[in-house]
Short mmCIF file of all heavy atoms in Angstrom, two decimals:
data_model
loop_
_atom_site.label_atom_id
_atom_site.label_comp_id
_atom_site.label_asym_id
_atom_site.label_seq_id
_atom_site.Cartn_x
_atom_site.Cartn_y
_atom_site.Cartn_z
N PRO B 162 190.44 -140.81 138.26
CA PRO B 162 190.39 -141.79 139.39
C PRO B 162 189.02 -142.45 139.49
O PRO B 162 188.89 -143.54 140.00
CB PRO B 162 190.63 -140.88 140.62
CG PRO B 162 190.25 -139.50 140.18
CD PRO B 162 190.53 -139.45 138.70
N GLY B 163 187.98 -141.81 139.02
CA GLY B 163 186.65 -142.38 139.12
C GLY B 163 185.87 -142.08 137.84
O GLY B 163 186.46 -141.70 136.83
N PRO B 164 184.58 -142.29 137.89
CA PRO B 164 183.74 -142.01 136.70
C PRO B 164 183.75 -140.50 136.46
O PRO B 164 183.80 -139.72 137.39
CB PRO B 164 182.36 -142.50 137.12
CG PRO B 164 182.35 -142.56 138.61
CD PRO B 164 183.79 -142.84 138.99
N PRO B 165 183.71 -140.07 135.19
CA PRO B 165 183.75 -138.68 134.86
C PRO B 165 182.49 -137.93 135.31
O PRO B 165 181.38 -138.50 135.30
CB PRO B 165 183.85 -138.65 133.33
CG PRO B 165 183.29 -139.98 132.90
CD PRO B 165 183.57 -140.93 134.02
N THR B 166 182.66 -136.69 135.68
CA THR B 166 181.48 -135.84 136.02
C THR B 166 180.81 -135.40 134.73
O THR B 166 181.42 -135.45 133.66
CB THR B 166 181.94 -134.59 136.78
OG1 THR B 166 182.72 -133.81 135.89
CG2 THR B 166 182.77 -134.96 137.98
N PRO B 167 179.58 -134.91 134.88
CA PRO B 167 178.89 -134.39 133.67
C PRO B 167 179.70 -133.26 133.00
O PRO B 167 179.77 -133.23 131.76
CB PRO B 167 177.57 -133.85 134.23
CG PRO B 167 177.36 -134.65 135.46
CD PRO B 167 178.70 -134.97 136.01
N GLU B 168 180.30 -132.41 133.80
CA GLU B 168 181.11 -131.34 133.19
C GLU B 168 182.28 -131.93 132.39
O GLU B 168 182.61 -131.43 131.34
CB GLU B 168 181.75 -130.44 134.24
CG GLU B 168 180.82 -129.36 134.80
CD GLU B 168 180.22 -129.80 136.09
OE1 GLU B 168 180.37 -131.02 136.43
OE2 GLU B 168 179.61 -128.95 136.81
N GLN B 169 182.84 -132.95 132.96
CA GLN B 169 183.97 -133.52 132.26
C GLN B 169 183.53 -134.17 130.93
O GLN B 169 184.20 -134.04 129.90
CB GLN B 169 184.70 -134.55 133.15
CG GLN B 169 185.51 -133.85 134.22
CD GLN B 169 186.06 -134.82 135.26
OE1 GLN B 169 185.44 -135.87 135.57
NE2 GLN B 169 187.18 -134.46 135.84
N LEU B 170 182.38 -134.80 131.00
CA LEU B 170 181.88 -135.39 129.77
C LEU B 170 181.57 -134.30 128.74
O LEU B 170 181.85 -134.47 127.53
CB LEU B 170 180.58 -136.18 130.05
CG LEU B 170 180.86 -137.53 130.68
CD1 LEU B 170 179.55 -138.24 131.01
CD2 LEU B 170 181.71 -138.38 129.75
N ALA B 171 181.08 -133.17 129.21
CA ALA B 171 180.79 -132.06 128.29
C ALA B 171 182.13 -131.58 127.66
O ALA B 171 182.19 -131.37 126.45
CB ALA B 171 180.12 -130.89 129.00
N ALA B 172 183.13 -131.45 128.49
CA ALA B 172 184.41 -131.04 127.98
C ALA B 172 184.95 -132.06 126.93
O ALA B 172 185.44 -131.67 125.86
CB ALA B 172 185.46 -130.92 129.10
N VAL B 173 184.75 -133.30 127.22
CA VAL B 173 185.22 -134.33 126.28
C VAL B 173 184.48 -134.21 124.98
O VAL B 173 185.09 -134.30 123.87
CB VAL B 173 185.08 -135.75 126.87
CG1 VAL B 173 185.30 -136.80 125.78
CG2 VAL B 173 186.04 -135.94 128.04
N ARG B 174 183.21 -133.93 125.05
CA ARG B 174 182.45 -133.81 123.77
C ARG B 174 182.99 -132.65 122.97
O ARG B 174 183.22 -132.75 121.77
CB ARG B 174 180.99 -133.64 124.03
CG ARG B 174 180.16 -134.90 123.88
CD ARG B 174 178.72 -134.62 123.61
NE ARG B 174 178.28 -133.53 124.47
CZ ARG B 174 177.96 -133.65 125.71
NH1 ARG B 174 178.03 -134.82 126.29
NH2 ARG B 174 177.60 -132.61 126.41
N VAL B 175 183.26 -131.54 123.65
CA VAL B 175 183.77 -130.38 122.93
C VAL B 175 185.14 -130.67 122.33
O VAL B 175 185.48 -130.26 121.24
CB VAL B 175 183.80 -129.17 123.84
CG1 VAL B 175 184.56 -128.02 123.20
CG2 VAL B 175 182.41 -128.72 124.19
N ILE B 176 185.92 -131.40 123.10
CA ILE B 176 187.24 -131.78 122.60
C ILE B 176 187.13 -132.60 121.31
O ILE B 176 187.83 -132.41 120.34
CB ILE B 176 188.04 -132.53 123.68
CG1 ILE B 176 188.49 -131.56 124.75
CG2 ILE B 176 189.26 -133.22 123.04
CD1 ILE B 176 189.07 -132.23 125.96
N GLU B 177 186.19 -133.53 121.31
CA GLU B 177 186.01 -134.34 120.12
C GLU B 177 185.54 -133.49 118.95
O GLU B 177 186.01 -133.66 117.84
CB GLU B 177 184.98 -135.42 120.39
CG GLU B 177 185.54 -136.55 121.22
CD GLU B 177 184.45 -137.63 121.49
OE1 GLU B 177 183.63 -137.86 120.60
OE2 GLU B 177 184.45 -138.13 122.59
N HIS B 178 184.61 -132.58 119.21
CA HIS B 178 184.18 -131.69 118.17
C HIS B 178 185.39 -131.03 117.53
O HIS B 178 185.58 -130.99 116.33
CB HIS B 178 183.26 -130.62 118.76
CG HIS B 178 181.91 -131.12 119.12
ND1 HIS B 178 181.16 -132.01 118.37
CD2 HIS B 178 181.09 -130.82 120.18
CE1 HIS B 178 180.02 -132.23 118.98
NE2 HIS B 178 179.95 -131.54 120.07
N THR B 179 186.19 -130.49 118.42
CA THR B 179 187.37 -129.74 117.96
C THR B 179 188.33 -130.63 117.20
O THR B 179 188.85 -130.30 116.13
CB THR B 179 188.09 -129.11 119.15
OG1 THR B 179 187.17 -128.31 119.84
CG2 THR B 179 189.26 -128.25 118.70
N TRP B 180 188.50 -131.81 117.74
CA TRP B 180 189.40 -132.80 117.09
C TRP B 180 188.97 -133.03 115.63
O TRP B 180 189.78 -132.90 114.73
CB TRP B 180 189.42 -134.05 117.95
CG TRP B 180 189.85 -135.31 117.26
CD1 TRP B 180 189.11 -136.40 117.01
CD2 TRP B 180 191.19 -135.59 116.79
NE1 TRP B 180 189.89 -137.33 116.38
CE2 TRP B 180 191.17 -136.89 116.24
CE3 TRP B 180 192.37 -134.87 116.78
CZ2 TRP B 180 192.26 -137.49 115.67
CZ3 TRP B 180 193.51 -135.46 116.21
CH2 TRP B 180 193.44 -136.77 115.66
N TYR B 181 187.73 -133.42 115.45
CA TYR B 181 187.28 -133.71 114.09
C TYR B 181 187.32 -132.46 113.21
O TYR B 181 187.68 -132.54 112.03
CB TYR B 181 185.93 -134.37 114.12
CG TYR B 181 186.02 -135.78 114.51
CD1 TYR B 181 185.54 -136.24 115.76
CD2 TYR B 181 186.64 -136.73 113.67
CE1 TYR B 181 185.67 -137.56 116.14
CE2 TYR B 181 186.80 -138.03 114.06
CZ TYR B 181 186.28 -138.47 115.29
OH TYR B 181 186.43 -139.76 115.65
N SER B 182 186.94 -131.37 113.78
CA SER B 182 186.87 -130.18 112.97
C SER B 182 188.27 -129.70 112.53
O SER B 182 188.46 -129.31 111.39
CB SER B 182 186.15 -129.09 113.78
OG SER B 182 185.81 -128.03 112.92
N THR B 183 189.26 -129.77 113.43
CA THR B 183 190.60 -129.41 113.02
C THR B 183 191.10 -130.36 111.94
O THR B 183 191.75 -129.95 110.99
CB THR B 183 191.58 -129.48 114.19
OG1 THR B 183 191.49 -130.73 114.82
CG2 THR B 183 191.36 -128.38 115.20
N LEU B 184 190.73 -131.59 112.12
CA LEU B 184 191.10 -132.60 111.14
C LEU B 184 190.61 -132.19 109.78
O LEU B 184 191.32 -132.23 108.77
CB LEU B 184 190.50 -133.96 111.57
CG LEU B 184 191.26 -135.22 111.28
CD1 LEU B 184 192.72 -135.07 111.63
CD2 LEU B 184 190.66 -136.36 112.10
N ILE B 185 189.36 -131.82 109.72
CA ILE B 185 188.77 -131.37 108.47
C ILE B 185 189.51 -130.19 107.85
O ILE B 185 189.87 -130.17 106.69
CB ILE B 185 187.28 -130.98 108.65
CG1 ILE B 185 186.50 -132.25 109.00
CG2 ILE B 185 186.73 -130.36 107.38
CD1 ILE B 185 185.08 -131.92 109.43
N THR B 186 189.73 -129.18 108.70
CA THR B 186 190.36 -127.98 108.15
C THR B 186 191.79 -128.29 107.70
O THR B 186 192.29 -127.77 106.73
CB THR B 186 190.34 -126.81 109.12
OG1 THR B 186 190.97 -127.21 110.33
CG2 THR B 186 188.97 -126.37 109.46
N TRP B 187 192.44 -129.19 108.45
CA TRP B 187 193.81 -129.55 108.03
C TRP B 187 193.76 -130.29 106.72
O TRP B 187 194.50 -130.00 105.77
CB TRP B 187 194.47 -130.44 109.10
CG TRP B 187 195.76 -131.06 108.59
CD1 TRP B 187 196.86 -130.39 108.13
CD2 TRP B 187 196.02 -132.45 108.45
NE1 TRP B 187 197.78 -131.28 107.71
CE2 TRP B 187 197.31 -132.57 107.91
CE3 TRP B 187 195.34 -133.61 108.79
CZ2 TRP B 187 197.89 -133.81 107.66
CZ3 TRP B 187 195.90 -134.83 108.52
CH2 TRP B 187 197.19 -134.92 107.94
N LEU B 188 192.88 -131.26 106.62
CA LEU B 188 192.77 -132.08 105.41
C LEU B 188 192.40 -131.24 104.19
O LEU B 188 192.86 -131.55 103.09
CB LEU B 188 191.78 -133.20 105.57
CG LEU B 188 192.22 -134.33 106.54
CD1 LEU B 188 191.03 -135.22 106.87
CD2 LEU B 188 193.35 -135.11 105.90
N SER B 189 191.61 -130.22 104.42
CA SER B 189 191.22 -129.44 103.25
C SER B 189 192.22 -128.34 102.99
O SER B 189 191.99 -127.43 102.19
CB SER B 189 189.83 -128.86 103.41
OG SER B 189 189.77 -127.98 104.45
N GLY B 190 193.34 -128.37 103.71
CA GLY B 190 194.43 -127.45 103.41
C GLY B 190 194.22 -126.03 103.92
O GLY B 190 194.87 -125.13 103.50
N ARG B 191 193.24 -125.85 104.79
CA ARG B 191 192.99 -124.48 105.28
C ARG B 191 193.68 -124.21 106.61
O ARG B 191 193.58 -123.10 107.13
CB ARG B 191 191.50 -124.23 105.41
CG ARG B 191 190.75 -124.42 104.12
CD ARG B 191 189.38 -123.73 104.14
NE ARG B 191 188.67 -123.87 105.36
CZ ARG B 191 188.05 -124.95 105.76
NH1 ARG B 191 188.04 -126.04 105.00
NH2 ARG B 191 187.43 -125.00 106.91
N ALA B 192 194.38 -125.18 107.16
CA ALA B 192 195.12 -124.93 108.38
C ALA B 192 196.34 -125.87 108.39
O ALA B 192 196.27 -126.96 107.87
CB ALA B 192 194.25 -125.15 109.60
N SER B 193 197.41 -125.42 108.99
CA SER B 193 198.61 -126.24 109.09
C SER B 193 198.51 -127.17 110.30
O SER B 193 197.63 -127.04 111.13
CB SER B 193 199.81 -125.33 109.30
OG SER B 193 199.65 -124.65 110.55
N ILE B 194 199.41 -128.13 110.31
CA ILE B 194 199.46 -129.01 111.49
C ILE B 194 199.68 -128.20 112.76
O ILE B 194 199.08 -128.45 113.79
CB ILE B 194 200.66 -129.99 111.30
CG1 ILE B 194 200.42 -130.93 110.15
CG2 ILE B 194 200.84 -130.79 112.60
CD1 ILE B 194 199.63 -132.10 110.48
N THR B 195 200.59 -127.23 112.64
CA THR B 195 200.88 -126.36 113.77
C THR B 195 199.59 -125.74 114.32
O THR B 195 199.32 -125.79 115.52
CB THR B 195 201.84 -125.25 113.35
OG1 THR B 195 202.90 -125.82 112.60
CG2 THR B 195 202.39 -124.51 114.57
N GLN B 196 198.86 -125.16 113.38
CA GLN B 196 197.59 -124.52 113.75
C GLN B 196 196.69 -125.53 114.46
O GLN B 196 196.10 -125.25 115.49
CB GLN B 196 196.91 -124.06 112.47
CG GLN B 196 195.68 -123.24 112.70
CD GLN B 196 196.02 -121.94 113.45
OE1 GLN B 196 195.61 -121.78 114.56
NE2 GLN B 196 196.74 -121.10 112.83
N ALA B 197 196.57 -126.71 113.89
CA ALA B 197 195.74 -127.74 114.47
C ALA B 197 196.19 -128.06 115.87
O ALA B 197 195.42 -128.18 116.80
CB ALA B 197 195.77 -129.01 113.58
N GLY B 198 197.53 -128.18 116.07
CA GLY B 198 198.07 -128.44 117.36
C GLY B 198 197.66 -127.37 118.38
O GLY B 198 197.29 -127.70 119.50
N ILE B 199 197.75 -126.13 117.96
CA ILE B 199 197.36 -125.06 118.83
C ILE B 199 195.94 -125.18 119.26
O ILE B 199 195.59 -125.05 120.44
CB ILE B 199 197.64 -123.68 118.16
CG1 ILE B 199 199.11 -123.46 117.97
CG2 ILE B 199 196.99 -122.56 118.96
CD1 ILE B 199 199.45 -122.24 117.14
N ASP B 200 195.06 -125.47 118.31
CA ASP B 200 193.65 -125.56 118.62
C ASP B 200 193.39 -126.69 119.62
O ASP B 200 192.59 -126.57 120.52
CB ASP B 200 192.83 -125.79 117.33
CG ASP B 200 192.83 -124.53 116.47
OD1 ASP B 200 193.39 -123.50 116.89
OD2 ASP B 200 192.28 -124.57 115.36
N ILE B 201 194.07 -127.80 119.38
CA ILE B 201 193.90 -128.94 120.31
C ILE B 201 194.33 -128.56 121.72
O ILE B 201 193.62 -128.80 122.65
CB ILE B 201 194.73 -130.15 119.83
CG1 ILE B 201 194.27 -130.65 118.43
CG2 ILE B 201 194.66 -131.27 120.87
CD1 ILE B 201 192.95 -131.31 118.43
N GLU B 202 195.48 -127.91 121.79
CA GLU B 202 195.93 -127.49 123.15
C GLU B 202 194.97 -126.52 123.78
O GLU B 202 194.68 -126.55 124.97
CB GLU B 202 197.36 -126.90 123.04
CG GLU B 202 198.41 -127.93 122.99
CD GLU B 202 199.80 -127.32 122.90
OE1 GLU B 202 199.95 -126.19 123.30
OE2 GLU B 202 200.72 -128.02 122.41
N THR B 203 194.49 -125.59 122.98
CA THR B 203 193.53 -124.62 123.48
C THR B 203 192.32 -125.31 124.09
O THR B 203 191.92 -125.00 125.21
CB THR B 203 193.08 -123.69 122.34
OG1 THR B 203 194.18 -123.01 121.79
CG2 THR B 203 192.07 -122.66 122.88
N VAL B 204 191.76 -126.21 123.32
CA VAL B 204 190.51 -126.82 123.83
C VAL B 204 190.77 -127.70 125.01
O VAL B 204 189.93 -127.87 125.91
CB VAL B 204 189.76 -127.59 122.68
CG1 VAL B 204 190.45 -128.91 122.44
CG2 VAL B 204 188.31 -127.79 123.06
N CYS B 205 191.96 -128.26 125.08
CA CYS B 205 192.24 -129.15 126.23
C CYS B 205 192.28 -128.39 127.54
O CYS B 205 192.14 -128.98 128.61
CB CYS B 205 193.54 -129.92 125.99
SG CYS B 205 193.34 -131.26 124.82
N LYS B 206 192.45 -127.10 127.47
CA LYS B 206 192.45 -126.31 128.70
C LYS B 206 191.10 -126.40 129.40
O LYS B 206 190.96 -126.17 130.60
CB LYS B 206 192.71 -124.85 128.38
CG LYS B 206 194.18 -124.59 127.98
CD LYS B 206 194.43 -123.11 127.80
CE LYS B 206 195.83 -122.91 127.22
NZ LYS B 206 195.87 -121.72 126.35
N LEU B 207 190.08 -126.75 128.61
CA LEU B 207 188.75 -126.90 129.19
C LEU B 207 188.75 -127.94 130.31
O LEU B 207 187.99 -127.88 131.26
CB LEU B 207 187.74 -127.34 128.12
CG LEU B 207 187.00 -126.24 127.38
CD1 LEU B 207 186.09 -126.89 126.38
CD2 LEU B 207 186.19 -125.44 128.36
N ILE B 208 189.63 -128.91 130.14
CA ILE B 208 189.69 -129.97 131.16
C ILE B 208 190.16 -129.42 132.48
O ILE B 208 189.62 -129.73 133.53
CB ILE B 208 190.67 -131.08 130.69
CG1 ILE B 208 190.06 -131.79 129.51
CG2 ILE B 208 190.89 -132.09 131.82
CD1 ILE B 208 190.94 -132.87 128.95
N ASP B 209 191.16 -128.54 132.44
CA ASP B 209 191.64 -127.94 133.67
C ASP B 209 190.51 -127.10 134.30
O ASP B 209 190.49 -126.94 135.53
CB ASP B 209 192.84 -127.03 133.37
CG ASP B 209 194.07 -127.84 133.01
OD1 ASP B 209 194.11 -129.02 133.38
OD2 ASP B 209 194.96 -127.31 132.38
N LEU B 210 189.64 -126.60 133.46
CA LEU B 210 188.53 -125.78 133.96
C LEU B 210 187.54 -126.62 134.75
O LEU B 210 187.02 -126.19 135.76
CB LEU B 210 187.86 -125.08 132.77
CG LEU B 210 187.13 -123.78 133.12
CD1 LEU B 210 188.13 -122.80 133.71
CD2 LEU B 210 186.54 -123.20 131.84
N THR B 211 187.26 -127.80 134.22
CA THR B 211 186.30 -128.66 134.90
C THR B 211 186.97 -129.50 135.98
O THR B 211 186.38 -129.87 136.95
CB THR B 211 185.62 -129.64 133.95
OG1 THR B 211 186.54 -130.66 133.56
CG2 THR B 211 185.10 -128.90 132.72
N GLY B 212 188.24 -129.76 135.75
CA GLY B 212 188.94 -130.65 136.66
C GLY B 212 188.91 -130.25 138.11
O GLY B 212 188.38 -130.96 138.97
N PRO B 213 189.43 -129.05 138.43
CA PRO B 213 189.50 -128.62 139.84
C PRO B 213 188.13 -128.59 140.48
O PRO B 213 188.02 -128.77 141.71
CB PRO B 213 190.09 -127.20 139.75
CG PRO B 213 190.83 -127.21 138.42
CD PRO B 213 190.02 -128.11 137.53
N ALA B 214 187.09 -128.33 139.67
CA ALA B 214 185.77 -128.29 140.25
C ALA B 214 185.20 -129.70 140.39
O ALA B 214 184.29 -129.95 141.14
CB ALA B 214 184.84 -127.45 139.38
N GLY B 215 185.81 -130.62 139.69
CA GLY B 215 185.35 -132.01 139.71
C GLY B 215 185.72 -132.71 141.02
O GLY B 215 186.08 -132.06 142.00
N ARG B 216 185.60 -134.00 141.02
CA ARG B 216 185.79 -134.73 142.29
C ARG B 216 187.14 -134.49 142.94
O ARG B 216 187.23 -134.12 144.09
CB ARG B 216 185.57 -136.22 142.08
CG ARG B 216 186.22 -136.76 140.79
CD ARG B 216 185.95 -138.23 140.72
NE ARG B 216 184.52 -138.50 140.87
CZ ARG B 216 184.01 -139.35 141.68
NH1 ARG B 216 184.83 -140.07 142.43
NH2 ARG B 216 182.73 -139.56 141.76
N ASP B 217 188.24 -134.73 142.23
CA ASP B 217 189.47 -134.34 142.90
C ASP B 217 190.58 -133.93 141.92
O ASP B 217 191.71 -133.70 142.31
CB ASP B 217 189.95 -135.43 143.83
CG ASP B 217 190.24 -136.74 143.08
OD1 ASP B 217 190.62 -136.64 141.90
OD2 ASP B 217 190.07 -137.80 143.67
N GLY B 218 190.19 -133.88 140.67
CA GLY B 218 190.99 -133.19 139.62
C GLY B 218 192.45 -133.52 139.51
O GLY B 218 193.00 -134.28 140.32
N PRO B 219 193.08 -132.98 138.52
CA PRO B 219 194.52 -133.20 138.28
C PRO B 219 195.33 -132.44 139.31
O PRO B 219 194.89 -131.41 139.83
CB PRO B 219 194.73 -132.60 136.89
CG PRO B 219 193.69 -131.59 136.75
CD PRO B 219 192.51 -132.05 137.57
#
Side-chain angles (χ1 to χ4, degrees):
Chain B
T166 64
E168 278 100 347
Q169 286 171 330
L170 285 177
V173 169
R174 262 202 319 282
V175 170
I176 287 171
E177 285 178 37
H178 288 319
T179 304
W180 160 246
Y181 282 110
S182 193
T183 51
L184 215 43
I185 293 170
T186 57
W187 169 59
L188 288 167
S189 65
R191 301 201 319 285
S193 63
I194 294 276
T195 313
Q196 188 63 248
I199 292 172
D200 291 355
I201 297 290
E202 279 180 23
T203 300
V204 76
C205 283
K206 289 184 187 149
L207 269 179
I208 293 179
D209 290 338
L210 206 58
T211 72
R216 41 179 55 228
D217 62 31

